């Protein structure tokens, strides 16, 4: 089957690519668009390091043939910060030492961002459920949970700066 | 290797696309994982993402879900609160936003937790074949499979009366883990006696099991620990061992989880 042209709204901008049937969204992001935030950990849906937002929902990009999501909106970690200004979730990860080697961090932040966009007042249990598909080998998860809860708290105090401002 | 992906815009076009030996692609959370595994052979797929098969309709007690409705859609729908425990036991949010209802019916055990719930609810499938559309009991498809070239377009069932649906899944971790034992049941109790029961087990065999032996023990009996213990002895359970648990362990803990599912303790 020949390659086809796929259009995506990627981090707020309309982009086109030529994709083979076997090209995954993850490959398209990394190899065509040079966006290296989403990582290939397992390619089995099990580690979450490739998590991006697909039409606003967290999704493992390693399991999506990109030709099937033409016309969709895709947001990656690269689209979050406004220049040097980090989003509240990103800043909380820095403040709470929620990142060590950083391999899981882009996926983790996309899952956390998706949670806070839908549920601004999450419980600890909500946070654990939201990141249960994102594996972290370094932090032991506690600093990550603290960071997400504190970002939520900060956002409630300053509702004018949502994590996805600028998306 | 994935050699072709069609993206038809109607169910009929999707069915026609299967004639070349292609497989339907729901969310791909099973199929694509297999493909990414280098050992998989060549595959042609027909994606259902744009075939108009996504949506949930509730009319009175009748619930109809399009085949390509995602597990995240079910999770969001307050009308389906009785399925929430089941859906949230499946994988993780970034998988559930892709995974579809129909895909869950065809994944190998110990997956298929939603299928277990739907079988306990005695769901029917809308199937589209070369001869047109028809309805099939889910039970028949679970035992006999779906003929090649055919497509599930929807799933329908009667919503359980409040308090009559039970779902319990034992797994290695509290979240995001395949099943060790899954119990799904529709059960009514009148004056302390079981009036009606449909009991389905996952994780305990190569296919979902309708526990008819246990159903016979329960029917008309008082719903007590003693009855449930006898019910747990009534079916031939020959579990499979895998990375989640050994066959021995599964058989050993099944009575405990049947009790937790039916008595909550
Ligand atoms: C990390 C991870 C954890 C998981 N954990 C669980 C779990 O705890 N419990 C669980 O039940 N599952 C689990 N799964 C398996 C899977 O995600 C779900 O079962 C999901 O519902 C499968 O749906 P899908 O649409 O993604 O299937 P797909 O991969 O798209 O398809 C699966 C099968 O169904 C067929 N199919 C799809 N749609 C149709 C249709 N309309 N008509 C006919 N055939 C069709 C396909 O051809 C294929 O054979 C997990 C998967 C991953 C990656
Ligand atoms: S690389 Fe996609 S989930 Fe691991
Ligand atoms: S920071 Fe290293 S895997 Fe999470």
């Amino acid at each position: 089957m020949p390659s086809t042209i796929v259009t995506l709204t990627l981090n707020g901008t309309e982009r086109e690519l030529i994709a083979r049937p076997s090209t995954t969204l993850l490959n398209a992001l990394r190899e065509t668009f040079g966006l290296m935030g989403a990582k290939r950990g397992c390619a089995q849906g099990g580690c979450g390091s490739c998590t991006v937002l697909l039409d606003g929902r967290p999704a493992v990009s390693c399991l999506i043939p990109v030709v099937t999501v033409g016309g969709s909106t895709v947001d990656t970690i690269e689209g979050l910060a406004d220049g040097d200004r980090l989003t509240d979730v990103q800043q909380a990860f820095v403040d709470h030492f929620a990142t060590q080697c950083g391999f899981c961090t882009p996926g983790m932040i996309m899952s956390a961002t998706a949670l806070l966009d839908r549920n601004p007042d999450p419980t600890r249990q909500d946070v654990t459920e939201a990141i249960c598909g994102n594996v972290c080998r370094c932090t032991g998860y506690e600093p990550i949970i603290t960071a997400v809860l504190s970002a939520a708290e900060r956002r409630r105090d300053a509702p004018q700066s949502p994590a996805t401002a600028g998306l | 290797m994935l050699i072709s992906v069609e993206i038809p815009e109607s169910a009929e076009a999707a069915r026609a696309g299967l004639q070349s030996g292609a497989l339907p692609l729901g969310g791909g959370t099973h199929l694509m994982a297999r493909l990414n595994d280098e050992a998989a052979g060549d595959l042609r797929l027909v994606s259902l993402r744009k075939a108009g098969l996504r949506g949930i309709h509730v009319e009175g007690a009748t619930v109809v879900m399009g085949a390509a409705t995602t597990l995240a859609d079910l999770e969001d729908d307050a009308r389906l609160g009785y399925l929430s425990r089941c859906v949230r036991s499946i994988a993780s949010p970034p998988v559930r936003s892709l995974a579809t209802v129909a895909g869950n019916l065809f994944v190998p055990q110990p997956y298929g937790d939603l299928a277990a719930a739907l079988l306990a609810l005695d769901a029917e499938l809308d199937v589209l074949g070369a001869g047109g559309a028809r309805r099939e009991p889910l039970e028949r498809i679970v035992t006999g499979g779906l003929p090649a070239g055919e497509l599930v377009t929807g799933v329908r069932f009667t919503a359980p009366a409040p308090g009559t649906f039970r779902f319990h899944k034992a797994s290695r971790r509290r979240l995001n883990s395949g099943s060790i034992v899954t119990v799904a049941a529709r059960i009514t109790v009148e004056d302390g006696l079981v009036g009606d029961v449909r009991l389905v087990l996952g994780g305990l065999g190569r296919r979902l099991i309708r526990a008819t032996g246990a159903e016979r023990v329960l029917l008309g009996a008082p719903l007590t620990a003693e009855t449930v213990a006898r019910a747990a002895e009534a079916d031939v359970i020959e579990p499979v061992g895998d990375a989640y648990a050994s066959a021995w362990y599964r058989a050993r803990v099944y009575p405990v989880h049947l009790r937790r599912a039916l008595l909550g303790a």
Side-chain angles (χ1 to χ4, degrees):
Chain A
M1 188 163 135
S3 295
T4 41
I5 298 177
V6 180
T7 310
L8 299 172
T9 303
L10 179 55
N11 294 330
T13 309
E14 194 162 296
R15 302 291 296 269
E16 271 186 359
L17 79 148
I18 296 174
R20 285 193 307 247
S22 60
T23 307
T24 61
L25 175 58
L26 177 62
N27 282 342
L29 291 173
R30 293 180 61 88
E31 286 161 25
T32 306
F33 297 115
L35 299 174
M36 299 296 182
K39 307 275 186 285
R40 184 184 197 269
C42 64
Q44 296 289 307
C47 76
S49 66
C50 64
T51 304
V52 299
L53 302 189
L54 177 67
D55 294 325
R57 283 275 189 175
V60 284
S61 59
C62 66
L63 299 185
I64 304 171
V66 70
V67 295
T68 63
V69 294
S72 293
T73 296
V74 175
D75 294 297
T76 71
I77 188 81
E78 288 87 351
L80 291 188
D82 178 9
D84 285 343
R85 199 168 67 86
L86 301 182
T87 65
D88 49 9
V89 178
Q90 289 175 310
Q91 188 60 50
F93 269 61
V94 175
D95 295 345
H96 294 275
F97 303 100
T99 177
Q100 288 185 28
C101 78
F103 196 87
C104 71
T105 309
M108 199 65 91
I109 287 181
M110 295 321 280
S111 284
T113 299
L115 168 72
L116 297 198
D117 285 352
R118 293 167 59 81
N119 175 3
D121 193 10
T123 60
R124 192 188 155 83
Q125 169 71 17
D126 294 333
V127 176
T128 328
E129 284 197 31
I131 62 167
C132 76
N134 296 83
V135 174
C136 177
R137 299 287 76 168
C138 305
T139 64
Y141 301 100
E142 282 302 318
I144 294 174
I145 295 168
T146 308
V148 179
L149 287 170
S150 100
E153 199 175 317
R154 230 185 290 176
R155 191 182 299 193
R156 286 195 300 275
D157 293 345
Q160 68 276 17
S161 58
T164 42
L167 284 188
Chain B
M1 165 112 160
L2 186 45
I3 47 181
S4 72
V5 186
E6 279 183 49
I7 311 159
E9 295 191 353
S10 72
E12 186 44 47
R15 189 208 57 79
L18 300 179
Q19 302 320 303
S20 64
L23 295 180
L25 174 70
T29 60
H30 172 66
L31 273 181
M32 288 299 293
R34 244 181 53 198
L35 265 165
N36 284 345
D37 179 349
E38 307 292 319
D42 284 352
L43 214 52
R44 297 171 181 279
L45 299 176
V46 174
S47 166
L48 302 181
R49 188 173 259 275
K50 297 185 177 164
L53 295 175
R54 181 173 174 185
I56 302 166
H57 304 277
V58 180
E59 235 181 271
T62 304
V63 181
V64 184
M65 308 187 298
T69 305
T70 66
L71 299 188
D73 293 339
L74 302 193
E75 203 176 342
D76 283 352
D77 197 317
R79 300 169 300 179
L80 305 181
Y82 48 90
L83 287 179
S84 146
R85 215 184 152 124
C86 166
V87 172
R88 284 164 61 207
S89 83
I90 298 174
S92 61
V95 170
R96 292 200 293 269
S97 57
L98 300 173
T100 67
V101 168
N104 199 268
L105 309 176
F106 298 103
V107 289
Q109 285 286 303
Y111 291 155
D113 292 305
L114 179 65
L118 292 170
L119 188 55
L121 293 170
D122 203 6
E124 273 192 317
L125 304 183
D126 293 315
V127 175
L128 193 57
R134 64 175 196 281
R135 286 202 197 159
E136 289 260 10
L138 171 59
E139 188 149 12
R140 192 176 311 153
I141 300 296
V142 164
T143 9
L146 188 71
E150 299 202 337
L151 186 70
V152 172
T153 57
V155 180
R156 50 183 74 230
F157 59 92
T158 304
T164 60
F165 179 70
R166 313 287 165 88
F167 181 89
H168 174 79
K169 174 176 165 184
S171 48
R172 282 292 277 259
R173 296 185 297 169
R174 205 166 43 77
L175 297 164
N176 193 10
S177 173
S179 169
I180 292 175
V181 178
T182 294
V183 181
R186 198 182 61 191
I187 183 165
T188 57
V189 181
E190 287 152 26
D191 303 327
L193 302 181
V194 176
D196 168 44
V197 61
R198 220 181 128 82
L199 183 64
V200 174
L201 308 175
L204 289 173
R206 294 202 179 274
R207 297 217 172 106
L208 290 174
I209 298 167
R210 168 99 188 269
T212 47
E215 287 176 3
R216 275 194 296 275
V217 171
L218 289 162
L219 199 62
L223 187 58
T224 60
E226 197 270 320
T227 310
V228 175
R230 272 194 298 123
E233 302 287 314
D235 294 275
V236 181
I237 304 291
E238 289 172 332
V240 179
D242 59 22
Y244 298 111
S246 66
W248 176 87
Y249 182 78
R250 285 188 157 103
R252 188 91 171 75
V253 299
Y254 159 54
V256 175
H257 295 297
L258 182 64
R259 196 184 70 221
R260 288 189 188 159
L262 297 183
L263 299 174

